[in-house]
């Protein structure tokens, strides 16, 4: 199991940051490099607990599809998205939000497990972990710019 933990400080209220992180339209804009589109389930606006979204995006030169569900959510402190139909054995992304003065501290904790035994582990160490870290950092930077310019 691989874990990625990222902390982002955003100068904006917690409710705004929480909502931007679960906004399907913002996700599409923040991941424009990979041409992400929501194909099924909640395809625009805010996603809530128990709801699903099916994404299609270009990663590593291939169009890949995955379905995610929001199994846990507590406004405006955290939510979890978990991939259901995916190329991973397991993928869980925990989003945590804490208000500190005028700032919101966002902690992303991503836990995943690759398939294909040793080959998956090698791919993860050489390429995947860095790719996912960069992907989430770019997404967070986009959300930060939107939130701080409200």
């Amino acid at each position: 199991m691989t874990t990625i933990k990222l902390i982002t400080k955003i100068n904006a209220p917690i409710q705004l940051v929480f909502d931007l992180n679960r906004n399907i339209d913002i996700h599409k804009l923040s991941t424009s490099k990979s041409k992400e589109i929501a194909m099924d389930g909640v395809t625009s606006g805010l996603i809530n607990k128990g709801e699903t979204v099916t994404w299609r995006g270009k990663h590593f030169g291939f169009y890949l599809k995955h379905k995610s569900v929001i199994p846990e959510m507590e406004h405006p402190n955290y939510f979890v998205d978990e991939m259901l139909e995916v190329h991973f054995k397991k993928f869980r992304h925990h989003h945590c939000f804490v208000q500190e003065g005028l700032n919101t501290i966002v902690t992303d904790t991503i836990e995943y497990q690759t398939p294909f035994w040793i080959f998956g582990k090698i791919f993860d160490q050489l390429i995947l972990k860095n790719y996912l870290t960069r992907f989430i950092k770019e997404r967070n930077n986009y959300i930060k710019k939107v939130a701080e310019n409200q």
Side-chain angles (χ1 to χ4, degrees):
M1 180 90 62
T2 301
T3 301
I4 299 170
K5 188 171 184 175
L6 299 171
I7 298 174
T8 308
K9 182 178 175 181
I10 301 176
N11 185 16
I14 191 170
Q15 186 65 54
L16 174 63
V17 176
F18 179 80
D19 287 344
L20 288 172
N21 271 271
R22 63 192 185 98
N23 187 304
I24 300 296
D25 303 303
I26 292 295
H27 182 83
K28 288 185 237 180
L29 293 170
S30 71
T31 59
S32 62
K33 284 184 182 178
S34 60
K35 302 176 182 166
E36 299 265 327
I37 60 166
M39 302 173 54
D40 194 23
V42 178
T43 58
S44 75
L46 300 178
I47 192 164
N48 290 295
K49 183 178 179 179
E51 295 180 329
T52 63
V53 59
T54 300
W55 292 101
R56 180 177 179 261
K58 193 170 189 176
H59 301 277
F60 307 109
F62 301 97
Y63 279 99
L64 303 174
K65 191 167 78 165
H66 74 271
K67 182 176 183 178
S68 291
V69 64
I70 307 297
E72 300 173 34
M73 181 179 286
E74 182 184 301
H75 292 277
N77 303 318
Y78 78 91
F79 72 93
V80 174
D81 66 80
E82 193 169 277
M83 293 186 187
L84 299 175
E85 297 168 10
V86 68
H87 301 281
F88 293 89
K89 281 176 115 175
K90 178 182 178 181
F91 191 102
R92 187 171 170 90
H93 183 173
H94 188 222
H95 309 253
C96 182
F97 308 88
V98 176
Q99 186 80 50
E100 287 187 2
L102 298 175
N103 298 306
T104 300
I105 308 303
V106 181
T107 304
D108 289 282
T109 306
I110 298 126
E111 298 174 311
Y112 65 92
Q113 191 173 9
T114 56
F116 309 120
W117 201 43
I118 191 70
F119 302 108
K121 289 181 182 187
I122 292 169
F123 176 70
D124 183 32
Q125 290 176 358
L126 294 177
I127 299 168
L128 185 59
K129 185 175 183 181
N130 289 332
Y131 179 83
L132 289 173
T133 300
R134 190 170 51 254
F135 184 83
I136 298 299
K137 281 183 179 179
E138 288 173 3
R139 181 180 180 280
N140 288 353
N141 287 335
Y142 184 90
I143 290 171
K144 179 179 172 75
K145 286 178 189 172
V146 171
E148 292 179 350
N149 288 312
Q150 292 285 321

